[in-house]
Amino acid sequence: MKSYLMFGGAVGALALCAAAPAFAEAAAPEAPDSVEAVVVLGQGQSRQVQTLTNAQIEMLAAGSSPLKAVEKLPGVSFQSADAFGSYEWSTRIAIRGFDQSRLGFTLDGVPLGDMSYGNYNGLHISRAIPSEDIGKVELAQGAGSLSTASTSNLGGTLQFFSRTPSEDFRVQTDLTAGSDAMHRLFGRLDTGAIEALGGLRAYGSIVDQKTDKWKGGGEQKQFQYDFKAVLPLGDDGSVTAFWNHSERREQDYQDMSFDMIKRLGRDWDNFQPNWAAAVGVGAVLNNPANYAGATPLLNGGYWTGVGTNPYAAFGVATPDDAYYAGAGIRDDDLYAVTLKRDMARGGFDLTVYGHQNQGQGLWYTPYTVSPGYGAPGSAAAPLSIRTTEYDIDRRGAIGGVYVDLGAHRLSAGFWAEDNDFNQARRFYAETAAAPSRDPLDFQSNPFFTQWEYKFNTKTTTGYVQDVWTVTDALKINFGFKALKVENKVSTVAGNAMNGKIESKDSFLPQIGAVYDLNNGVELFGGYTENMAAFVSAATSGPFASQNQAAVNFVRDNVQPETSKTFEGGVRYHNDVFQGVAAVYHVDFENRLDSASTAPPILGLPAVLSNVGAVETKGVEVAGEYRLGQAWSLYGSYAYNDSQYQDDVPGAGGTVAMRTKGKDVVFTPKGLLKAELKYDQGGVFANLGVSYTGSRWYTFENSGGKVDSFAVADLTVGYRFDADPASLLHGVTIQANVSNLTDEDYISTVGSGGPTKADVAGTAMTLLPGAPRQGFITLRKTF
């Protein structure tokens, strides 16, 4: 009942906006000609494409990932365990049945890799740039354009574009505060065009954000600054440069299972700040007496059912119910310089870029004790800190050229990248009396390196394309790209693993057409082939086995993943309505998946399997109707059916996993989004509702089905239009309420990876969504 009352109250709040012009008449600006479109549909494109502007990102709570804005688009499933959608361990985005590791992401054309947690070849968009500095986001639900710098975009492509420095001097300051002691300060200064420097214009911005976790102990914080400059080269060229720096510190929520949620509740988390409980569990787990005798208390660390569970004294039933804490620490620098020149019948652009990253992901683990534990007089703890450490140094160049020959526009381009990636698993000592290390600091002086590998990935791609304007109504594009990726590995410590794996294809075609019926109706369709390169990491892909024989087998026998995508649809627009409907069919071959075999903290190699082919088919519809000058209504619906086409073979002709005809993990069949928007007389409001269908995290669809859920978010605000001499001039105040109805739901599915089956509900791979939270932002521009 509370949920319905809250939802009804939100609708009522929006309805009250209808009377707002009278309230704001004296101070508000003139009403706009019409409320700004929520989504710009891809008119003139032969692919399913939509664009979101900065105005849509500003509607979110400050500090939110732009992915939260993208989730309203058809076919997009987004999940995160925090209100901002930026907690990287939990963040997942899927499009048309393709999970995040099979999508492509760029910022101003610079590749971000697959944006997965701890990825080897990029960084998450939340670290790449502050959300306030994003100008627009473009989504292609298919494989994206041929020029996209990605080796993982089997499915969709998300391209982020930063805001251009203003032509005029401008200062913007945003101050946000809200639930769980959250505060965020953003400041940006635009120089405006400096005529003495040839019209050079630039901006610099800085962000500092900190919030407590919504459950358990610990905090999540981030510090960023970025610079961007544009130097015009006459009327037809420019040099653009940017440098973005990020320092991210996140303490983790505990991965949960259905069994844990049932026993402990959705608000259960790690022990922090209860150090004594974490030490107590470690002491029980590592006490030899608990494993002794004919009827021991423990077997493999778990209670046997004999006598009293020794973990119960600390409020848990197993050593995996809670650890002391976990955290993710990342420092990034991303930079690029772009030269662009347009000429009478053509033009070119060239970008060179670099990215350096240092990171650690850590857990306090009772499975490895600190050196000296158990010795007389030792201060060592019956636990230690286990890290996975990352070091990225990549450099690359992207270029393109085009020639306009009237009816034909020919283009060609390339992308080359050299990426050095080091990865290690290390352990650091702790003291029993009290924690001696801060989980939000980079750890140093390890007592043990379990493994360390050096990877080098060389990527080379090229493409050619012709866009042929057959008539004023009909346009056809066709072209292809070639792709070659070399993954090399060498061993520093741990199991020996050396050699090279290669992914290459010299002909990946793309063809499409768009036909304008000249009455607001546009037909479009296309076909794309793509390939995903192997991953260079010790924790995912073929090298995650940490076994030379397995690497050799992959090199000699396993083919890279490929996709063949057909899509077609119709768009319609007039003065008050725009809409799109599309259908698609994807043949996904050689899908490689890893099945989790234990709780993630144990760090055991996942079992990599070629699960064969996947067939995906679906339909997407979206539309926006402008209800006069002040109101608009947007909605989208997507139905996706993704199923495995083969069983996974095992040794000796057996079946390792019965996956044929089963739904693909993490993929909801139904997605429904709706948004009601008001903007007039200085007052603005936005009510969004998102429904996500049920999802599986088991390959065999045996146990592991997560229920559907619906979440609503509300934004209300006011823009002052006072006299320029007044302090209120350029001031906006905005309130955001996330999870308006306080829905109790599971957001992230797969945080600990998928598994074969989970009838007992013990797989630790779920993260509950955040409860209702509120935030207020005060923005001033001058």
Side-chain angles (χ1 to χ4, degrees):
M1 178 61 72
K2 177 177 67 174
S3 296
Y4 290 112
L5 289 174
M6 287 296 299
F7 188 77
V11 175
L14 279 173
L16 287 174
C17 291
F23 167 77
E25 185 175 354
E30 277 187 41
D33 292 337
S34 61
V35 62
E36 182 176 330
V38 172
V39 177
V40 179
L41 303 179
Q43 294 296 130
Q45 298 275 357
S46 63
R47 297 169 289 120
Q48 173 80 307
V49 178
Q50 291 96 36
T51 301
L52 291 173
T53 66
N54 174 264
Q56 298 306 309
I57 299 172
E58 281 189 346
M59 282 287 152
L60 304 173
S64 294
S65 167
L67 297 179
K68 274 188 69 72
V70 171
E71 73 168 326
K72 73 182 67 174
L73 300 178
V76 178
S77 171
F78 177 72
Q79 48 196 278
S80 183
D82 69 324
F84 307 102
S86 59
Y87 167 44
E88 289 190 36
W89 178 256
S90 71
T91 298
R92 302 287 189 279
I93 186 169
I95 302 172
R96 291 183 176 177
F98 287 91
D99 61 58
Q100 188 163 317
S101 67
R102 297 172 172 94
L103 305 176
F105 305 90
T106 65
L107 171 63
D108 290 341
V110 175
L112 301 178
D114 62 16
M115 293 204 324
S116 59
Y117 185 85
N119 73 341
Y120 74 101
N121 65 345
L123 70 165
H124 201 274
I125 186 60
S126 297
R127 284 185 277 133
I129 186 173
S131 56
E132 292 90 343
D133 285 333
I134 294 178
K136 67 176 182 177
V137 184
E138 183 179 287
L139 167 67
Q141 280 90 339
S145 67
L146 292 173
S147 61
T148 302
S150 173
T151 58
S152 57
N153 60 331
L154 291 173
T157 299
L158 272 168
Q159 298 187 83
F160 304 92
F161 299 91
S162 60
R163 288 164 57 190
T164 302
S166 173
E167 293 280 354
D168 303 312
F169 178 83
R170 186 183 182 209
V171 177
Q172 176 183 340
T173 58
D174 295 10
L175 178 62
T176 304
S179 299
D180 299 302
M182 182 270 188
H183 65 266
R184 177 181 175 92
L185 179 63
F186 169 81
R188 168 170 163 150
L189 185 148
D190 285 79
T191 64
I194 305 173
E195 297 305 325
L197 298 177
L200 174 73
R201 61 189 190 276
Y203 73 72
S205 66
I206 189 168
V207 175
D208 186 67
Q209 177 172 328
K210 180 179 177 181
T211 181
D212 292 341
K213 291 165 56 183
W214 64 264
K215 64 175 181 176
E219 59 190 18
Q220 298 180 331
K221 55 186 180 180
Q222 184 168 19
F223 174 75
Q224 293 175 280
Y225 56 81
D226 62 326
F227 303 94
K228 182 176 180 179
V230 177
L231 177 65
L233 300 177
D235 296 329
D236 51 13
S238 64
V239 176
T240 302
F242 72 79
W243 177 33
N244 300 346
H245 176 80
S246 171
E247 300 172 14
R248 194 168 187 87
R249 307 289 185 267
E250 293 182 326
Q251 288 193 252
D252 291 319
Y253 296 97
Q254 172 68 316
D255 296 312
M256 303 189 76
S257 65
F258 280 130
D259 172 66
M260 290 173 64
I261 294 172
K262 182 179 179 180
R263 288 188 290 110
L264 303 167
R266 74 186 296 269
D267 291 338
W268 179 258
D269 199 33
N270 285 319
F271 284 128
Q272 191 180 24
N274 189 348
W275 181 250
V279 169
V281 167
V284 169
L285 176 66
N286 294 286
N287 183 356
N290 289 330
Y291 302 87
T295 56
L297 288 176
L298 301 181
N299 181 24
Y302 291 86
W303 183 44
T304 61
V306 174
T308 301
N309 187 336
Y311 296 116
F314 308 103
V316 296
T318 79
D320 297 308
D321 281 349
Y323 314 117
Y324 179 66
I329 305 165
R330 304 286 188 274
D331 284 354
D332 290 275
D333 287 282
L334 181 69
Y335 46 89
V337 178
T338 298
L339 170 65
K340 184 175 182 180
R341 194 89 189 193
D342 292 319
M343 293 168 282
R345 300 189 65 85
F348 70 91
D349 60 83
L350 176 65
T351 298
V352 293
Y353 66 90
H355 171 219
Q356 283 78 47
N357 163 271
Q358 286 187 316
Q360 291 184 347
L362 64 87
W363 267 315
Y364 286 75
T365 174
Y367 290 98
T368 303
V369 300
S370 294
Y373 174 71
S378 172
L383 51 79
S384 63
I385 294 178
R386 193 212 80 176
T387 66
T388 306
E389 303 185 7
Y390 314 91
D391 187 344
I392 298 173
D393 185 5
R394 60 191 181 109
R395 305 151 299 280
I398 308 165
V401 61
Y402 75 91
V403 178
D404 193 340
L405 301 177
H408 293 268
R409 180 186 170 100
L410 304 176
S411 60
F414 75 94
W415 167 41
E417 182 178 277
D418 192 311
N419 177 22
D420 291 316
F421 176 60
N422 289 7
Q423 194 175 25
R425 170 68 46 76
R426 296 192 172 98
F427 294 82
Y428 298 82
E430 264 292 6
T431 53
S436 60
R437 297 174 180 269
D438 185 342
L440 292 183
D441 285 342
F442 278 97
Q443 305 303 312
S444 58
N445 300 318
F447 67 83
F448 175 51
T449 296
Q450 184 179 15
W451 50 259
E452 181 179 1
Y453 298 99
K454 291 185 176 181
F455 299 92
N456 176 262
T457 305
K458 287 183 169 60
T459 301
T460 307
T461 72
Y463 75 91
V464 293
Q465 180 174 246
D466 179 22
V467 179
W468 178 23
T469 303
V470 183
T471 67
D472 289 341
L474 176 62
K475 184 168 62 177
I476 298 174
N477 63 274
F478 50 92
F480 71 95
K481 74 175 181 179
L483 169 65
K484 180 180 179 181
V485 178
E486 294 180 347
N487 312 82
K488 293 182 179 180
V489 61
S490 61
T491 304
V492 178
N495 295 334
M497 189 168 57
N498 300 280
K500 180 179 74 173
I501 296 177
E502 187 175 85
S503 313
K504 66 178 180 179
D505 195 317
S506 299
F507 185 72
L508 294 166
Q510 182 178 98
I511 184 169
V514 58
Y515 188 79
D516 187 353
L517 297 179
N518 203 28
N519 57 358
V521 177
E522 186 176 82
L523 306 177
F524 66 93
Y527 170 76
T528 301
E529 294 185 14
N530 217 337
M531 181 188 75
F534 291 118
V535 173
S536 294
T539 49
S540 61
F543 299 111
S545 64
Q546 298 180 22
N547 180 285
Q548 185 67 54
V551 172
N552 293 345
F553 179 83
V554 171
R555 179 196 63 203
D556 298 334
N557 299 279
V558 177
Q559 297 299 313
E561 297 178 330
T562 61
S563 65
K564 298 178 180 179
T565 302
F566 297 86
E567 63 178 342
V570 57
R571 302 184 185 99
Y572 175 75
H573 71 94
N574 58 28
D575 292 339
V576 296
F577 176 79
Q578 62 166 341
V580 62
V583 295
Y584 58 89
H585 183 278
V586 184
D587 287 321
F588 182 4
E589 301 289 340
N590 303 314
R591 176 167 173 144
L592 302 177
D593 271 317
S594 298
S596 177
T597 57
I601 197 171
L602 294 179
L604 300 180
V607 179
L608 183 70
S609 300
N610 185 332
V611 298
V614 173
E615 182 184 37
T616 294
K617 50 186 180 293
V619 59
E620 298 163 346
V621 294
E624 181 177 8
Y625 185 68
R626 300 189 180 190
L627 307 169
Q629 293 186 340
W631 294 86
S632 72
L633 178 65
Y634 167 83
S636 71
Y637 173 75
Y639 175 81
N640 179 87
D641 182 19
S642 296
Q643 293 187 353
Y644 300 108
Q645 300 300 296
D646 306 285
D647 288 330
V648 179
T654 62
V655 176
M657 287 195 295
R658 298 191 179 279
T659 52
K660 185 174 181 179
K662 306 298 185 182
D663 291 335
V664 170
V665 292
F666 312 147
T667 302
K669 285 187 179 294
L671 294 166
L672 178 64
K673 318 293 172 64
E675 188 169 295
L676 181 62
K677 181 180 178 182
Y678 176 87
D679 195 336
Q680 191 175 60
V683 177
F684 60 93
N686 196 96
L687 174 65
V689 181
S690 175
Y691 166 84
T692 300
S694 60
R695 297 157 289 167
W696 297 93
Y697 62 81
T698 56
F699 288 111
E700 294 189 335
N701 295 174
S702 178
K705 186 176 184 179
V706 178
D707 290 340
S708 61
F709 66 92
V711 174
D713 295 326
L714 176 67
T715 302
V716 293
Y718 184 75
R719 305 183 192 93
F720 291 88
D721 186 39
D723 184 274
S726 170
L727 290 176
L728 292 178
H729 180 71
V731 170
T732 299
I733 186 168
Q734 177 175 313
N736 291 85
V737 181
S738 60
N739 192 1
L740 182 66
T741 61
D742 205 19
E743 178 81 1
D744 184 351
Y745 69 104
I746 293 172
S747 176
T748 300
V749 177
S751 59
T755 189
K756 177 181 177 180
D758 189 31
V759 176
T762 57
M764 297 172 61
T765 194
L766 307 174
L767 288 169
R772 180 171 55 241
Q773 294 178 289
F775 309 94
I776 295 179
T777 297
L778 183 65
R779 180 178 302 115
K780 167 74 172 176
T781 58
F782 51 89

